[in-house]
Amino acid sequence: MSTRGVLLVLSGPGGVGKSTVVSELRNFENFYFSVSATTRRPRANEIDGVAYHFVSEDSFQQMIEKGEFLEWAEFAGAKYGTPRMPVVEALESGKNVLLEIEIQGARQVKRTMPEAVMVFLAPPSLEELESRIVNRGTDSPERVAARLALAHEELAAAGEFDHIVTNHRVEDVVEALVSLATSVKGK
Ligand code: 5GP
């Protein structure tokens, strides 16, 4: 039985409910939640260092040049990246790691860490996804339009993932993720 933690990558279209799943998963022990760096502005309820490390374009660029990211990508006009070291250290200490990232980043993780368990979170329907993106209320109309277009592209990537979990109920998604981590770790 492996003592190394399991790297779970949770991806899927923006607006599908990934961050709600992550907050629920926080109630489970032995998971490390990666805190990404981003160049986008914080939303009203977001705390620096908790939701994200909010950084300038310059700092983000420096992090890229120093090779500090496990993966990074541009999404709807901002850059997002996963700092590598905390992930590696958590895995080595036996913790499971959850990355909640968009599709281009997920593809990079699969290339560099093929043992990663790739999970695509799918919406119950396209209509529901669209209404979630439109009704979020925190983004400008331009960003909403960009996010809708991206969501359609992202849905097309579902087949690239090891597992597709449909977000009917958050509790069920969390349970599916926990049992995936447990079953992979047991191997
Ligand atoms: P939001 O701006 O709504 O917080 O996130 C936008 C998208 O960026 C979401 O799909 C989220 O999963 C993704 N994201 C967050 N952090 C990272 C990261 O470190 N890398 C990548 N590739 N995507 C990320």
Side-chain angles (χ1 to χ4, degrees):
M1 178 152 162
S2 161
T3 52
R4 222 177 120 80
V6 175
L7 179 58
L8 278 183
V9 177
L10 181 66
S11 200
V16 74
K18 299 190 292 286
S19 46
T20 312
V21 168
V22 172
S23 357
E24 283 295 310
L25 201 57
R26 284 186 192 273
N27 301 323
F28 287 81
E29 283 176 19
N30 209 33
F31 266 97
Y32 169 77
F33 298 90
S34 168
V35 180
S36 299
T38 184
T39 59
R40 91 148 156 72
R41 299 245 177 95
R43 297 188 183 121
N45 55 345
E46 289 177 328
I47 300 167
D48 189 24
V50 180
Y52 285 103
H53 299 293
F54 294 99
V55 301
S56 65
E57 285 284 345
D58 279 355
S59 314
F60 198 97
Q61 193 56 38
Q62 279 173 26
M63 292 174 83
I64 295 174
E65 282 161 20
K66 289 190 200 151
E68 289 179 16
F69 288 126
L70 178 59
E71 60 73 36
W72 70 272
E74 290 209 44
F75 181 89
K79 297 193 180 84
Y80 297 83
T82 304
R84 180 196 310 273
M85 275 320 284
V87 170
V88 170
E89 283 170 6
L91 288 173
E92 280 170 3
S93 75
K95 285 201 163 167
N96 300 324
V97 172
L98 188 97
L99 304 185
E100 185 255 280
I101 60 178
E102 54 67 68
I103 311 272
Q104 307 163 69
R107 289 185 181 124
Q108 293 172 47
V109 175
K110 190 65 186 175
R111 278 200 295 274
T112 45
M113 300 177 97
E115 72 279 15
V117 179
M118 311 298 293
V119 181
F120 186 91
L121 190 62
S125 68
L126 186 56
E127 292 71 33
E128 195 155 330
L129 180 67
E130 291 182 339
S131 85
R132 285 190 59 140
I133 294 174
V134 171
N135 296 326
R136 174 132 68 178
T138 49
D139 289 324
S140 65
E142 294 75 28
R143 267 181 91 80
V144 168
R147 278 173 188 261
L148 278 173
L150 266 176
H152 285 101
E153 276 176 38
E154 292 182 308
L155 278 174
E160 299 173 33
F161 284 72
D162 301 323
H163 304 273
I164 300 178
V165 178
T166 303
N167 192 6
H168 291 293
R169 275 188 1 135
V170 174
E171 299 87 329
D172 296 340
V173 175
V174 168
E175 202 182 302
L177 292 174
V178 171
S179 56
L180 262 176
T182 314
S183 68
V184 174
K185 205 167 190 181
K187 281 181 188 156

